[in-house]
Amino acid sequence: MKKKFHISLLGRVAIAIAAGIALGQVMPSAVARIFVTFNALFGNFLSFSIPLIILGLVAPAIGELGKGAGRLLLVTVLIAYGSTLFSGFFTYFSASAFLPHLLAENAEIAAMENPENGMLTPFFTVAMPPLMDIMTSLLLAFVTGLGLSAIKGDTLQAAFTDFRAIMMKLITSVIVPLLPLHIFGIFLNITASGQVAMIIFMFLKVILFIFVLHVALLLIQFTVAGVVGRKNPLVMLRNMLPAYLTALGTQSSAATIPVTLEQALKNGVRENIAVFTIPLCATIHLAGSTMKIVACAMAIMFMAGETVSFVQYGGFILMLGITMVAAPGVPGGAIMAALGLLGSMLGFNETLQALMIALYIAMDSFGTACNVTGDGAIAVVVDRIAK
């Protein structure tokens, strides 16, 4: 049977950006407004879906983590959450120090601040009000998840597990496939407003900056693991390279688990600890994804001329660390789980969110590789604590 040709999400997003830039210079406004109308409808649908996605992913994840939670489970979760928070704050301070110099101070994008000015407008819109706001959804998810972990019955847990399957189906079958078309429309509109060259130049700078940061983060993680586990950090990091390279190709922490597990054993982690820690961290440890989201959000806010404050970002990082626990193991899943926080806590409008998605997906492989490689460092620390 002839093998079906498949283009990755990153490839589709790249094609969408290129097509939007190329066609935005020649496409008649009347035709372009058709795609702008789709963007308006899709953006409203995202606003409706995001609270449901957060509830459907976070609540059962917390409930499952609490079932029969022992000391080692608690320790592993706390270390993973601590690593994710460290990544977020490390990125914040690094970005605060360097991004203002990398991104020109006068590079304000009027279209990002006020999408209605200088850009094409949709033919019509359809209101799709969400059932609840983002904070209500998060609080409901936390309360429900903790309750599920405390009660003996499993009927409600099973219901939320089914609800999570529905939300995962929504993400993988509807939202993610339509994302390239949404991004195409955004870049089509931005090109028409004359801002595209500035944005592409910004993309390249931010991608290079985040790549350097994620290498530094891995060195820090394995230095700590080396001190705790009394092992050579560079040797351990070298042993994890097969997992890193596998994640670059799969873009999935879950799909890389077999390789990550094998390399963790080579680092001297006991098998009973490795088979427990690696699959768990593949779900709850997303330091690389958090780094990308924080850095991309700060870069976009700098470019949009917005003020970036520690108080604002401190709360955002704390909430993001929890939300990342529920990020589905599909390409682009972490950014979908974080869109609600970007809108409610950082004030991202639809245009900013679409740029955020495009910039995040452009580095999705590197974030996943950083996540799974860091799992190996956590496994060494947990193994040492377990002894």
Side-chain angles (χ1 to χ4, degrees), residues 91-92 94-105 107-109 112-113 198-199 201-210 213 291-308 313 316 342 346 348 352 355-356 359-360 363:
T91 304
Y92 170 81
S94 300
S96 297
F98 293 104
L99 282 184
H101 303 289
L102 291 174
L103 305 176
E105 293 182 3
E108 296 182 3
I109 303 176
M112 297 169 92
E113 295 176 337
M198 186 182 300
I199 293 176
F201 189 53
M202 180 271 288
F203 269 31
L204 296 176
K205 285 186 174 182
V206 175
I207 289 172
L208 179 60
F209 172 73
I210 293 178
L213 271 191
M291 170 176 284
K292 288 190 302 177
I293 290 173
V294 172
C296 291
M298 292 182 68
I300 288 176
M301 289 185 72
F302 279 131
M303 290 292 290
E306 301 288 340
T307 302
V308 177
Y313 262 83
F316 172 71
L342 289 168
L346 300 184
F348 274 42
L352 293 176
L355 288 172
M356 185 75 185
L359 185 52
Y360 179 93
M363 298 172 291

Side-chain angles (χ1 to χ4, degrees), residues 131-365:
L131 297 178
M132 64 190 86
D133 60 35
I134 301 301
M135 290 309 299
T136 301
S137 177
L138 278 170
L139 289 173
L140 180 59
F142 294 157
V143 171
T144 304
L146 292 172
L148 292 173
S149 68
I151 63 176
K152 294 182 178 180
D154 57 3
T155 302
L156 190 57
Q157 176 70 48
F160 267 96
T161 300
D162 289 342
F163 184 54
R164 175 173 58 189
I166 294 174
M167 293 299 101
M168 288 288 290
K169 193 70 173 176
L170 175 67
I171 292 173
T172 57
S173 300
V174 179
I175 294 178
V176 170
L178 289 177
L179 277 180
L181 183 58
H182 183 51
I183 291 170
F184 166 77
I186 289 292
F187 274 85
L188 183 74
N189 208 351
I190 290 174
T191 301
S193 71
Q195 304 289 343
V196 68
M198 186 182 300
I199 293 176
I200 294 299
F201 189 53
M202 180 271 288
F203 269 31
L204 296 176
K205 285 186 174 182
V206 175
I207 289 172
L208 179 60
F209 172 73
I210 293 178
F211 178 77
V212 173
L213 271 191
H214 106 267
V215 172
L217 177 64
L218 288 176
L219 289 173
I220 293 172
Q221 288 176 333
F222 277 89
T223 298
V224 173
V227 171
V228 174
R230 301 175 185 175
K231 299 177 181 180
N232 188 318
L234 295 179
V235 172
M236 290 192 297
L237 184 55
R238 184 185 64 194
N239 287 339
M240 293 302 300
L241 282 179
Y244 182 94
L245 296 174
T246 303
L248 284 179
T250 63
Q251 297 183 337
S252 170
S253 298
T256 314
I257 286 176
V259 180
T260 311
L261 180 60
E262 181 180 353
Q263 300 311 120
L265 294 175
K266 289 184 179 180
N267 279 335
V269 179
R270 289 172 294 172
E271 185 174 358
N272 63 327
I273 299 297
V275 297
F276 161 78
T277 307
I278 296 301
L280 177 61
C281 286
T283 304
I284 66 173
H285 181 231
L286 289 99
S289 298
T290 299
M291 170 176 284
K292 288 190 302 177
I293 290 173
V294 172
C296 291
M298 292 182 68
I300 288 176
M301 289 185 72
F302 279 131
M303 290 292 290
E306 301 288 340
T307 302
V308 177
S309 68
F310 176 75
V311 174
Q312 181 185 33
Y313 262 83
F316 172 71
I317 292 169
L318 291 172
M319 295 300 293
L320 184 64
I322 298 174
T323 305
M324 287 294 93
V325 171
V330 297
I335 187 61
M336 297 311 303
L339 280 182
L341 295 179
L342 289 168
S344 63
M345 302 188 74
L346 300 184
F348 274 42
N349 56 37
E350 290 180 11
T351 303
L352 293 176
Q353 289 181 2
L355 288 172
M356 185 75 185
I357 293 170
L359 185 52
Y360 179 93
I361 291 177
M363 298 172 291
D364 197 26
S365 294

Side-chain angles (χ1 to χ4, degrees), residues 113-138:
E113 295 176 337
N114 301 291
E116 67 277 5
N117 296 338
M119 298 181 75
L120 300 174
T121 57
F123 287 114
F124 64 91
T125 61
V126 177
M128 304 179 195
L131 297 178
M132 64 190 86
D133 60 35
I134 301 301
M135 290 309 299
T136 301
S137 177
L138 278 170

